[in-house]
Amino acid sequence: MGAVVSKTGSSVPVEGVAVGINEVLEMVRNDGIETVDFRFLDLPGLWQHFTIPATGLNESVFTYGLGFDGSSMRGWKGIAESDMLIVPDPTTAWLDPFPKSKTLVLICDIKDPITHEPYSRDPRNIARKAEEYLLNSGIGDVCYCGPEAEFFIFDDIRFDQNEHSGYYFVDSIEGRWNTGRDEGPNLGYKPRYKEGYFPVSPTDKHQDLRNEMMHNLIACGMEIECQHHEVATAGQAEIDIKYASLKRAADQLMSYKYIVKNTALQHGKTVTFMPKPVWNDNGSGMHVHMSIWKDGINQFAGDGYAGMSEMALHAIGGILHHAPALVALTNPTTNSYKRLVPGFEAPTRLAYSSRNRSAAVRIPVVAANASARRFEFRCPDPSCNPYLAFSAMMMAAIDGIKNKIDPGPPFDKDLYDLPAEQLAGVPSTPGSLDEALVALEKDHEFLLAGDVFSADTIRTWIDYKREKEVDELRLRPHPFEFALYYDI
């Protein structure tokens, strides 16, 4: 995550500064570190870990790695070829505030134990190759990503699914549905549906909790821009972390989700990054800001539309052109498409604009600050694997730059209010994960450039999502179907 723990026990951000193996080993020896936690993630994007005693961490571990069984990792190899190597990255060191033992976290790369080559399905390896591809292209030397991940803070969550029943139940002290509940006493102040943006206390019940999340994130090495209540009732929130280079931004987002969830757990709350856990209110998105730099100069700054360069507009063209396939990676759950519904809160129309938040790509207004020129892809949600999502976005942008893809004219009108005849000419995101996977099958050559994504990884992703998610949901009756059809 770009932080190293100092001898005082606090984490120090080191964005852009190499943290060496010797520094980490010295810190372990001198700062009372008891355990070292190795973090890595499966293909869908869930963090995994195992822990060793601090005495087991030495230079050899950083050089040669440790063997482990990878057969249980979703989307990885089968049991017949399950042995893998895990190699910690010393530049990612940070002190975990949650375990009882003083624990150092190291985010790791995965390698093949025979060839010692990086594992092609390791998401972090894909992000590394994406950064190398950008550098080798000559277009830039760093791609900055700034994700804005939204989430819900609930007091209770129950769900079950079996052969004869299926249900879910979420609850929150802030839930508008609880205005009539006997809470002994009920004090009211529950945000109205779609009116939860920026209320102060007492309507905002989670200011202190979000502050604690923010301070924990800072202590673990992140730079935080702001925290606030989001639009939905029932504790929807957002904490914005400062942009970083592509792989580091993905490292930070995985750490962010872990820290936010565990801070909530300490207070008897539960956090979910599921895109649409509450019906009839806003879902949780993750707008991603992106820019490409070279030799310290923002290549997206120029004198074109909204202060953008021709390169930036072509990058936007690439994003819009490949968006139907992109969302299979940036919006990778069946639940994602409960949020991406035309005419509702999420931007689904594949257009771009300055300031207009109804467009899939927005160019933020940054006054005369050329270094801040960037675009924002507003479709993604925080259920994604960030290494895959950010890499795919950058690859689409580079494809747009290389092939000079014209994004067309900007849409500076509210796309939600356009007449039907005008709206018919504006393409939209796919309506389901299944449709997005079909689009990815048809359009993924841009991801294979530079061997960033392998054909095997794309095929594995599509097959996994279809078999484990799309088909499994398709086979099960939905509770609302009983309300619609039971009496027919």
Side-chain angles (χ1 to χ4, degrees):
M1 197 166 65
V4 64
V5 185
S6 71
K7 293 182 180 180
T8 64
S10 62
S11 291
V12 181
V14 289
E15 174 70 35
V17 179
V19 176
I21 294 170
N22 290 336
E23 293 172 89
V24 174
L25 293 176
E26 181 184 1
M27 179 262 295
V28 169
R29 287 192 297 267
N30 297 336
D31 290 8
I33 303 298
E34 299 170 283
T35 55
V36 179
D37 206 45
F38 290 170
R39 304 279 172 90
F40 59 102
L41 73 167
D42 59 15
L43 191 62
L46 191 64
W47 237 6
Q48 314 289 328
H49 78 133
F50 67 84
T51 308
I52 66 170
T55 53
L57 187 69
N58 53 46
E59 187 172 350
S60 176
V61 173
F62 287 101
T63 304
Y64 301 107
L66 293 173
F68 77 107
D69 178 7
S71 64
S72 296
M73 296 300 104
R74 296 181 300 171
W76 281 22
K77 294 189 175 183
I79 196 167
E81 47 181 1
S82 59
D83 287 349
M84 305 294 288
L85 286 177
I86 188 166
V87 183
D89 180 347
T91 69
T92 64
W94 55 279
L95 190 64
D96 192 332
F98 302 106
K100 291 182 179 179
S101 297
K102 193 168 186 180
T103 300
L104 181 73
V105 172
L106 290 168
I107 302 175
C108 302
D109 298 309
I110 308 300
K111 292 189 176 183
D112 185 281
I114 306 300
T115 65
H116 291 266
E117 290 296 315
Y119 180 40
S120 63
R121 295 188 200 169
D122 174 18
R124 200 164 189 265
N125 177 44
I126 291 170
R128 177 190 63 79
K129 289 191 292 183
E131 291 186 321
E132 289 180 357
Y133 179 69
L134 172 65
L135 187 61
N136 293 334
S137 73
I139 291 171
D141 48 38
V142 61
C143 175
Y144 286 114
C145 299
E148 300 175 347
E150 299 167 350
F151 56 92
F152 278 87
I153 303 167
F154 292 138
D155 295 301
D156 190 31
I157 169 65
R158 288 176 278 134
F159 54 90
D160 196 11
Q161 179 77 56
N162 53 47
E163 286 75 10
H164 69 97
S165 67
Y167 75 96
Y168 69 90
F169 179 87
V170 297
D171 207 4
S172 166
I173 188 65
E174 276 196 1
R176 187 66 181 179
W177 55 82
N178 284 324
T179 55
R181 182 173 67 176
D182 184 1
E183 295 180 345
N186 189 322
L187 301 178
Y189 301 116
K190 303 182 191 299
R192 286 178 284 274
Y193 297 109
K194 301 181 182 294
E195 294 185 26
Y197 208 41
F198 292 177
V200 297
S201 175
T203 300
D204 181 358
K205 305 290 192 301
H206 298 132
Q207 170 71 0
D208 288 339
L209 178 56
R210 291 195 311 274
N211 276 340
E212 186 172 336
M213 291 171 176
M214 178 174 67
H215 292 310
N216 282 342
L217 291 164
I218 292 169
C220 292
M222 293 195 210
E223 292 186 68
I224 303 300
E225 295 183 339
C226 70
Q227 63 86 357
H228 58 85
H229 202 290
E230 257 297 338
V231 173
T233 191
Q236 194 182 33
E238 181 178 317
I239 303 174
D240 293 334
I241 52 180
K242 188 177 179 180
Y243 65 87
S245 57
L246 189 151
K247 185 175 69 172
R248 192 179 298 276
D251 285 343
Q252 288 190 162
L253 186 61
M254 295 306 299
S255 302
Y256 168 97
K257 293 171 79 169
Y258 172 83
I259 293 163
V260 165
K261 287 178 180 179
N262 279 279
T263 305
L265 193 66
Q266 289 185 326
H267 293 269
K269 306 282 188 181
T270 178
V271 158
T272 182
F273 289 90
M274 185 176 173
K276 191 73 172 181
V278 176
W279 171 67
N280 206 32
D281 209 338
N282 280 34
S284 292
M286 189 182 73
H287 310 145
V288 181
H289 297 252
M290 182 168 280
S291 60
I292 292 176
W293 290 56
K294 185 177 183 179
D295 298 328
I297 299 173
N298 185 356
Q299 301 300 294
F300 281 6
D303 55 6
Y305 174 78
M308 300 291 270
S309 66
E310 183 180 49
M311 177 190 289
L313 294 175
H314 288 149
I316 291 171
I319 292 285
L320 295 176
H321 177 74
H322 294 296
L326 269 183
V327 295
L329 294 163
T330 64
N331 303 74
T333 68
T334 58
N335 186 252
S336 298
Y337 299 85
K338 303 293 193 297
R339 169 181 168 264
L340 283 185
V341 179
F344 289 84
E345 81 275 4
T348 60
R349 294 295 174 177
L350 300 178
Y352 74 102
S353 175
S354 174
R355 304 179 67 181
N356 185 356
R357 293 172 185 264
S358 65
V361 174
R362 182 178 75 99
I363 302 170
V365 175
V366 293
N369 187 2
S371 65
R373 299 291 181 201
R374 62 194 188 275
F375 66 75
E376 173 193 38
F377 189 35
R378 295 177 59 80
C379 295
D381 67 57
S383 70
C384 71
N385 181 326
Y387 300 93
L388 305 185
F390 300 164
S391 298
M393 281 182 58
M394 191 198 74
M395 295 300 287
I398 291 177
D399 189 65
I401 294 166
K402 285 190 168 184
N403 292 296
K404 300 187 183 302
I405 297 177
D406 184 358
F411 277 82
D412 291 329
K413 298 178 180 179
D414 186 346
L415 289 162
Y416 298 138
D417 291 335
L418 276 184
E421 59 272 16
Q422 291 186 41
L423 201 58
V426 184
S428 184
T429 54
S432 68
L433 178 58
D434 198 25
E435 290 180 26
L437 294 171
V438 170
L440 181 60
E441 272 183 320
K442 294 178 179 178
D443 177 26
H444 60 261
E445 289 296 321
F446 71 99
L447 297 173
L448 304 181
D451 193 37
V452 173
F453 287 78
S454 68
D456 168 72
T457 299
I458 297 294
R459 186 72 261 165
T460 301
W461 179 267
I462 292 170
D463 291 346
Y464 179 91
K465 286 289 174 178
R466 279 196 177 133
E467 179 185 347
K468 301 295 185 181
E469 299 179 30
V470 172
D471 288 347
E472 290 293 335
L473 186 68
R474 187 157 39 204
L475 289 168
R476 287 162 169 77
H478 189 284
F480 191 57
E481 290 178 312
F482 285 83
L484 291 174
Y485 308 129
Y486 185 76
D487 59 349
I488 60 175

